[in-house]
Amino acid sequence: MALLELGQFDLIITDYLMPEMKGDQLVTHIKRGRPGQRIIMVTAFAEDFLASHRTHGGVDWVLSKPFSLEELSTAIAQVMA
């Protein structure tokens, strides 16, 4: 979160499960200050995430682990289009 104070980002890719907070908490924080920020959420629990976040919680794309470089590239291309 400290990096968000330092500059602008074209895209943020974050994991759902992290030591300090969950990814959806980070997304909520980001979207408060930057509603148009593009975000890809990476998670091994994509089905659970999508079921509990009907609107994806402000996330532009959910990428299920494990994923290939091709899947990552596709997600980035779709979000940045």
Side-chain angles (χ1 to χ4, degrees), residues 44-65:
F45 308 100
E47 289 180 18
D48 294 340
F49 178 83
L50 293 170
S52 65
H53 297 83
R54 290 189 185 141
T55 61
H56 300 203
V59 173
D60 297 290
W61 194 276
V62 177
L63 192 57
S64 184
K65 291 186 212 176

Side-chain angles (χ1 to χ4, degrees), residues 3-4 9-16 18 23 26-27 30 37-43 59-65 67 69 71-77 79-80:
L3 288 174
L4 294 171
F9 297 90
D10 294 330
L11 173 66
I12 294 174
I13 301 173
T14 186
D15 202 337
Y16 179 68
M18 300 183 289
L26 177 62
V27 170
I30 292 168
Q37 178 66 59
R38 296 177 189 130
I39 301 173
I40 294 175
M41 177 76 68
V42 178
T43 179
V59 173
D60 297 290
W61 194 276
V62 177
L63 192 57
S64 184
K65 291 186 212 176
F67 56 87
L69 288 177
E71 290 169 310
L72 176 60
S73 179
T74 298
I76 292 170
V79 169
M80 299 303 291

